[in-house]
Amino acid sequence: MDDNPATAPLPDDGPLHGDPGLQPERTALAWGRTVLTLIAASAMCLRWLPDQGAFVLAMFGLTIAAGSGIYLTQRRRYRRSVAGIRAGRLAPDVAAVFWTAGACVALGALGIWLVLS
């Protein structure tokens, strides 16, 4: 039996845990809002493309990469949260938060450089 919650299959019937309003659902919604925000930021980057040139493509690529990374790892994070609730111990996903914060800082730095140049 595979004890790793990141690779454990999700059941097709019934709730994953007793309370549908618990932390995994709220966290999944928050990460979803983050992905939408990054998509909106990437669209704003494209707006500057005719005036600022190819430099803006770095900002666009960063926002798309960050949003895609969050989207592609969301299911694993959700499974891990549910398994943590079932086990009675849940560790935060520190790496995901640091990667997202790093992408936002890099995007902000690129934006400041773009405005000042």
Side-chain angles (χ1 to χ4, degrees):
M1 174 105 188
D2 189 8
D3 291 331
N4 185 356
T7 59
L10 289 174
D12 291 332
D13 56 343
L16 297 174
H17 47 79
D19 184 0
L22 277 176
Q23 180 266 338
E25 286 76 16
R26 292 191 311 267
T27 302
L29 289 171
W31 282 110
R33 287 189 301 270
T34 303
V35 169
L36 287 174
T37 301
L38 288 168
I39 290 170
S42 68
M44 289 189 315
C45 291
L46 287 179
R47 182 173 180 239
W48 291 335
L49 188 59
D51 297 330
Q52 301 296 331
F55 179 75
V56 174
L57 292 178
M59 295 175 66
F60 176 76
L62 178 63
T63 55
I64 292 297
S68 298
I70 292 169
Y71 179 76
L72 293 173
T73 58
Q74 180 58 31
R75 187 171 173 105
R76 177 187 53 85
R77 263 192 310 277
Y78 182 84
R79 275 191 239 142
R80 202 179 97 202
S81 295
V82 169
I85 287 174
R86 285 183 177 167
R89 54 183 160 75
L90 181 63
D93 192 356
V94 177
V97 173
F98 278 126
W99 279 107
T100 303
C104 290
V105 167
L107 182 61
L110 288 171
I112 289 171
W113 181 329
L114 185 69
V115 169
L116 294 178
S117 65

